[in-house]
Amino acid sequence: MAYIKKKLSDNGKKAFRLLMDELKISMHEAQKLIDKKRLFCNGVLVKEKNKILDGIIELIIYENNPKGLDIVYENEDFAAIEKPSGVLTHPNGRNCTYSLCDEIWHLWGKKACVAHRLDKETSGILLVAKHKNSQIELKTMFEKRLVQKSYLALVKGKTEKEFIVNEKMDLAKDYDISKTRMHICENGKEASTQFYTLEYFENLDASLVLAKPLTGRQHQIRLHLFHVKHKILGDPLYGLKKSQIEQILDDKINKEERIQITGAKRLLLHSFSLEFTYKGQKFLIQSKKNIKDEFLEERIR
C-alpha cells in the first residue's frame, strides 16, 4: 500500500465538513483523519478541525496495491487467509508500500480488519473480521483464549517426541534494537507451550515440530524453543549477536548470508490451525500449504 496525496475539490468549508462531504464519512472519522495529521491546505498541515479551508487541499490516503491472496475459508462474518512470510499485517509507516491491508481492504472494504496478528516473518492462517460486530466478537475470543492455535516450526537439533515448556517471560527492557524482544525471567508472565515432534531430518540435524501455545505471550514459541536449545531456524532475533540482528533487521545481508547466520532464509514458523466456536458453530481451520517442503526449500544452501 502506497501513501499518496489526493487532491480534494471543495473549498470554503470547515475541515471536518469537507472530509465528511468528499469521502462520505462520519464526523468522528473525519476528525480522526485530521488528528492523524493527514490533511493539508496549501502545503500546510491542518490542525484545527473547524478551520475554513481555501486553496489547494490535499489528503494523505492509502492506495491499495493488491498482489493476490489465498483464502482458506470465508463466510459473511469472517475469512481465513494464508499470510505469506515477509508481509506486515499492518503498514508500519508512510514508507510502507505493501501490507495485508492492501489485500483485505481490496477484497472486503475498509471496515474489514485482522482479528489477531502474526509477526512479519511468520506465515500461515490468519483470521479477518469483515465488519465491526465480528471484529469485536473474534478479538474478544482471542483475548479470552477461546481460540486454540497450533503452529509448525523447523527447529535446530533432535527434539523429544513430546515436551512442554513452562517458563515465565517478559519484555527485555535493557534491549535497544527491538522493543518486542522477550526474555525468560522469574517475575515475568506465565507462559506454557506444548510441543510434538513430527519428523527428524538427520541430514539437517533439524526437527519439524507442532507447537500448541497454552498461553498467548508475544514470541512465546520462539523464546521457549530457544530456551530449550532448539532454536527455530531462520530466527532473526534470538541467539544472535547485536551486530547480526541489526544487519538482518536493516536488510543489509543477502539470503545466503542469512542462511549462514540463522540456518534459513526466513523464520521457519507457520500458523497451521485455528480451532474455535463462533455463533454456536465449531470451526477447525487448517493451512493448506505444504509447509514442510517450503521449510526445507528455505533451508537449502
Side-chain angles (χ1 to χ4, degrees):
M1 176 190 322
Y3 288 83
I4 62 170
K5 276 189 176 181
K6 176 184 177 181
K7 287 188 177 181
L8 305 181
S9 58
D10 283 345
N11 278 282
K13 291 184 177 181
K14 291 182 178 181
F16 77 89
R17 174 55 64 181
L18 183 148
L19 292 176
M20 289 175 65
D21 293 346
E22 284 272 322
L23 304 178
K24 310 301 180 187
I25 59 177
S26 67
M27 182 185 293
H28 174 72
E29 291 172 312
Q31 292 175 337
K32 196 172 180 180
L33 285 173
I34 297 170
D35 289 337
K36 287 184 175 181
K37 302 180 180 180
R38 299 273 179 85
L39 187 63
F40 293 80
C41 184
N42 296 320
V44 179
L45 178 67
V46 176
K47 298 180 181 180
E48 299 174 23
K49 299 178 179 67
N50 291 316
K51 181 181 175 67
I52 302 295
L53 302 184
D54 187 21
I56 299 174
I57 304 167
E58 297 172 304
L59 177 69
I60 294 177
I61 63 168
Y62 304 120
E63 185 177 61
N64 290 347
N65 178 32
K67 300 179 181 179
L69 198 66
D70 291 333
I71 301 172
V72 177
Y73 175 83
E74 182 177 3
N75 62 26
E76 62 182 8
D77 293 326
F78 65 85
I81 62 174
E82 292 273 13
K83 176 191 173 298
S85 174
V87 177
L88 288 165
T89 304
H90 293 290
N92 63 350
R94 292 183 182 174
N95 292 323
C96 179
T97 59
Y98 179 73
S99 76
L100 280 183
C101 287
D102 288 77
E103 307 293 347
I104 293 168
W105 290 349
H106 172 71
L107 290 168
W108 301 297
K110 290 289 184 74
K111 292 184 179 180
C113 68
V114 295
H116 59 120
R117 293 194 182 197
L118 293 175
D119 291 337
K120 180 180 178 181
E121 291 201 1
T122 303
S123 57
I125 296 296
L126 188 71
L127 280 189
V128 176
K130 289 188 174 183
H131 50 77
K132 190 68 176 179
N133 289 340
S134 61
Q135 175 189 341
I136 294 171
E137 179 71 18
L138 290 170
K139 286 189 174 182
T140 300
M141 288 166 56
F142 278 99
E143 290 170 2
K144 292 184 176 181
R145 300 177 191 168
L146 298 177
V147 180
Q148 285 73 53
K149 309 174 187 177
S150 77
Y151 293 77
L152 292 172
L154 190 64
V155 308
K156 182 179 180 181
K158 187 173 184 178
T159 52
E160 298 176 24
K161 186 176 180 180
E162 293 184 19
F163 60 103
I164 189 167
V165 180
N166 294 301
E167 293 290 346
K168 295 179 181 179
M169 55 192 291
D170 207 345
L171 283 169
K173 297 178 182 178
D174 60 345
Y175 197 67
D176 60 358
I177 295 175
S178 171
K179 294 180 181 178
T180 56
R181 191 173 193 259
M182 311 294 285
H183 69 145
I184 302 294
C185 57
E186 291 183 2
N187 297 323
K189 297 176 181 178
E190 297 286 346
S192 180
T193 314
Q194 180 74 53
F195 295 96
Y196 304 87
T197 300
L198 303 180
E199 191 171 351
Y200 174 64
F201 303 95
E202 190 171 358
N203 61 321
L204 300 175
D205 187 28
S207 300
L208 181 67
V209 300
L210 178 72
K212 292 188 175 183
L214 306 179
T215 50
R217 310 303 176 202
Q218 191 163 25
H219 292 185
Q220 179 176 315
I221 296 171
R222 296 165 65 177
L223 183 58
H224 275 176
L225 284 167
F226 173 68
H227 180 71
V228 296
K229 314 301 182 187
H230 292 298
K231 173 183 172 177
I232 298 177
L233 297 178
D235 195 321
L237 204 56
Y238 296 99
L240 301 181
K241 297 177 182 178
K242 179 179 176 181
S243 59
Q244 294 173 323
I245 297 171
E246 289 175 333
Q247 284 182 313
I248 295 171
L249 296 180
D250 294 338
D251 291 323
K252 291 183 178 179
I253 63 172
N254 59 39
K255 289 183 178 180
E256 294 304 314
E257 290 172 322
R258 178 157 177 181
I259 290 174
Q260 292 290 335
I261 294 173
T262 70
K265 299 174 186 177
R266 53 156 282 206
L267 175 70
L268 300 187
L269 181 64
H270 184 80
S271 171
F272 176 67
S273 71
L274 295 172
E275 187 173 2
F276 56 93
T277 298
Y278 180 84
K279 291 185 176 180
Q281 182 178 350
K282 292 184 178 181
F283 290 89
L284 173 57
I285 301 174
Q286 295 182 325
S287 172
K288 299 184 184 301
K289 294 286 186 181
N290 184 350
I291 199 62
K292 182 180 83 168
D293 286 353
E294 288 189 22
F295 279 176
L296 294 177
E297 185 178 336
E298 297 288 356
R299 177 65 183 80
I300 294 172
R301 295 184 182 277

